[in-house]
Amino acid sequence: MTGLILNDDDGDLALLRDSVAGFAQRHDGPATLRARRASGDDLDRASWAAMAEAGWLGVMLPEELGGAGLGHAEQSILCEALGQALITEPLAQLSVLSGALIAAAEPGAEPQRLAEGLMSGAAIVAPAWQGADGSTGPIVARSTPNGITLSGRISYVSAAKSATDFLVLAEENGQALLLSVPAISNGLKVAAHATLDGSQLATLTLEQVTVPTQAVLSRADAANAALEQAIAAARLAISAELVGIGTRAIEDTIAYTKERVQFGRPIAGFQVVQHRLVDMWADAEFAAASVSHAVEMQDEGESLERDLAVLAAKARAGDAAVTITRRALHLYGAMGFTDDCDIGLYMKRAVALNATLGQPETLRLQFVARERAAA
C-alpha cells in the first residue's frame, strides 16, 4: 500500500511517520482503546501527554502562538500514521479544530493562554458548536454588566469530561460570537455517552453561564469564517486518518488470509478472495489520491477549489474506510467479530469517523450546492 503521496524533498514527512511508529510501540493503540473504554474515560491522559511532548498538538498553530507553524501536509501525514496505528485520541477535534479557532482569534491574552495550554497538553480545549441536528448550536448570548451570559445546549462535544476549556459558538442579536468557557463554570453541565468506537461524545447544557468579555475570541463574520476554516481543516485531518485506517486494514487482512487455511490451503490462494482484496486496494488508493489532492489544493488552489477538494476527500475516504474494514471483517470470518481481534476496532473507528463532521451523502450534497452556486 502506498497511502498519501506528498512532496517530501527534505524527508520531514518520512521522519514524522517514523516518529508515530515509535510512539505506537510505546503506546499500543488497540490496547489503549480497550483500556479507556473499560475505564469509562474519554481521553487517555498518558497518551495525550506523550503526544504533547512529541509536539503533535500544535502542528499547525502559528509560531507567534508557540506552535510549529507547519501545514496541512505535515498534519495529514501525522493523522494518517495515527490511523494506521489505531491511536484514537481525538486529535482532529482537540488540536486541529480547536487550534484553528484559536489561531483565528483576535490577538490577546486569552488566545495566548489557550494556545500555550493546548501545546503543552495542560489544557484540553474542546470545540462546542453543534446542535442536535449537527448544525450550529442554539447558544444564546446576552451582554450584562458582569460579562456575557450564555444559555442553551450543544451536542457532539469530544472529551468533554476531560476538558478544561470549551470553545463555544453563540449568538447575540443575530451576531455570532466565539468564546472560551472554563469547564468549571457555574451552570455548565456535561452529559457524556459512549460511542461505537469506544470514544465518548457529550451534550453540554449551559444555564446562565457568565464569562468575562475578554473570553470573546472572535465576532460576527470573523467568527463564522474561523469556524468554517477550522471545520475544513479538521475534515481534512480526519480524511487522512481514515486513509490510514483503510491501508492498515488491508495490510492486516492480506497477512491473515495468508495464514488462514481452508480446504488444505491458505484462503489467499482462492480467486474470490483475491478479487475482494483487489477491490479493497482500489478503494484505498482512490481515497489516498483524493486526500493527497486536497492537501495540495490547500496551498495551490483557489478558495472554492480548496473547499470542494476537502468535501470530496472526506466523502471518499469515509466511504472507502468503512467499505474496506467491513470487507476485512468478512474475510476474517468469525474471528473478526471477537473483541480480541483488532480488525473489529478498525471497523468501528472507521464508522465513527465517517460520521464525524458530515456523512458522505451530506458532504456530496454540499459539494454539488457549492459548485452550482459558483457556476
Side-chain angles (χ1 to χ4, degrees), residues 99-362:
L101 292 176
I102 294 169
E106 299 171 4
E110 184 63 4
Q112 186 68 51
R113 179 189 73 84
L114 292 170
E116 291 174 357
L118 189 156
M119 278 282 297
S120 67
I124 308 298
V125 186
W129 60 276
Q130 290 181 283
D133 62 353
S135 62
T136 52
I139 297 296
V140 177
R142 180 171 56 86
S143 294
T144 70
N146 297 323
I148 299 174
T149 299
L150 306 171
S151 297
R153 180 174 295 178
I154 299 180
S155 302
Y156 312 116
V157 182
S158 295
K161 293 192 300 184
S162 297
T164 60
D165 300 88
F166 297 102
L167 301 183
V168 175
L169 183 71
E171 184 177 292
E172 181 180 26
N173 299 324
Q175 182 186 70
L177 296 176
L178 182 68
L179 312 97
S180 66
V181 178
I184 59 173
S185 298
N186 292 330
L188 192 154
K189 299 178 182 179
V190 175
H193 60 275
T195 61
L196 178 66
D197 65 339
S199 59
Q200 294 188 22
L201 293 176
T203 298
L204 301 186
T205 301
L206 288 79
E207 298 178 352
Q208 301 295 308
V209 174
T210 300
V211 296
T213 55
Q214 292 87 346
V216 177
L217 302 179
S218 53
R219 300 172 180 269
D221 291 343
N224 290 324
L227 180 61
E228 184 177 345
Q229 293 170 6
I231 292 171
R235 279 176 174 158
L236 187 53
I238 291 171
S239 301
E241 186 175 348
L242 286 163
V243 168
I245 289 171
T247 55
R248 177 61 180 269
I250 295 173
E251 292 170 358
D252 288 356
T253 304
I254 291 173
Y256 180 76
T257 57
K258 290 179 179 179
E259 297 173 355
R260 182 182 172 188
V261 175
Q262 292 290 327
F263 306 108
R265 60 188 248 189
I267 63 172
F270 293 105
Q271 192 174 54
V272 66
V273 173
Q274 294 172 358
H275 287 171
R276 181 59 61 89
L277 291 171
V278 169
D279 288 341
M280 294 162 64
W281 174 86
D283 285 340
E285 290 296 289
F286 282 123
S290 180
V291 176
S292 296
H293 171 73
V295 171
E296 293 172 354
M297 284 296 100
Q298 302 316 298
D299 296 326
E300 301 174 4
E302 299 294 332
S303 176
L304 178 61
E305 292 176 328
R306 295 197 299 267
D307 294 344
L308 293 180
V310 170
L311 293 173
K314 176 64 167 59
R316 170 80 75 169
D319 270 344
V322 171
T323 300
I324 289 167
T325 52
R326 284 178 173 169
R327 287 173 172 172
L329 208 63
H330 293 161
L331 292 175
Y332 269 77
M335 177 68 177
F337 288 91
T338 63
D339 191 64
D340 291 337
C341 188
D342 291 348
I343 195 64
L345 301 180
Y346 278 91
M347 186 274 290
K348 292 174 181 178
R349 181 64 172 169
V351 172
L353 288 180
N354 187 40
T356 304
L357 299 182
Q359 293 274 11
E361 296 81 1
T362 301

Side-chain angles (χ1 to χ4, degrees), residues 27-98:
H27 301 270
D28 182 85
T32 300
L33 187 158
R34 291 186 178 96
R36 191 184 65 225
R37 182 184 60 190
S39 68
D41 294 332
D42 58 4
L43 191 71
D44 184 78
R45 296 306 293 263
S47 294
W48 195 254
M51 293 166 78
E53 185 177 356
W56 296 347
L57 303 187
V59 169
M60 293 202 300
L61 271 176
E63 294 180 2
E64 55 266 29
L65 288 175
L70 300 176
H72 289 280
E74 289 82 4
Q75 186 69 65
S76 296
I77 291 297
L78 172 61
C79 289
E80 179 194 25
L82 293 174
Q84 289 175 332
L86 199 65
I87 296 169
T88 57
E89 307 312 317
L91 186 78
Q93 290 87 351
L94 303 186
S95 172
V96 179
L97 206 161
S98 290

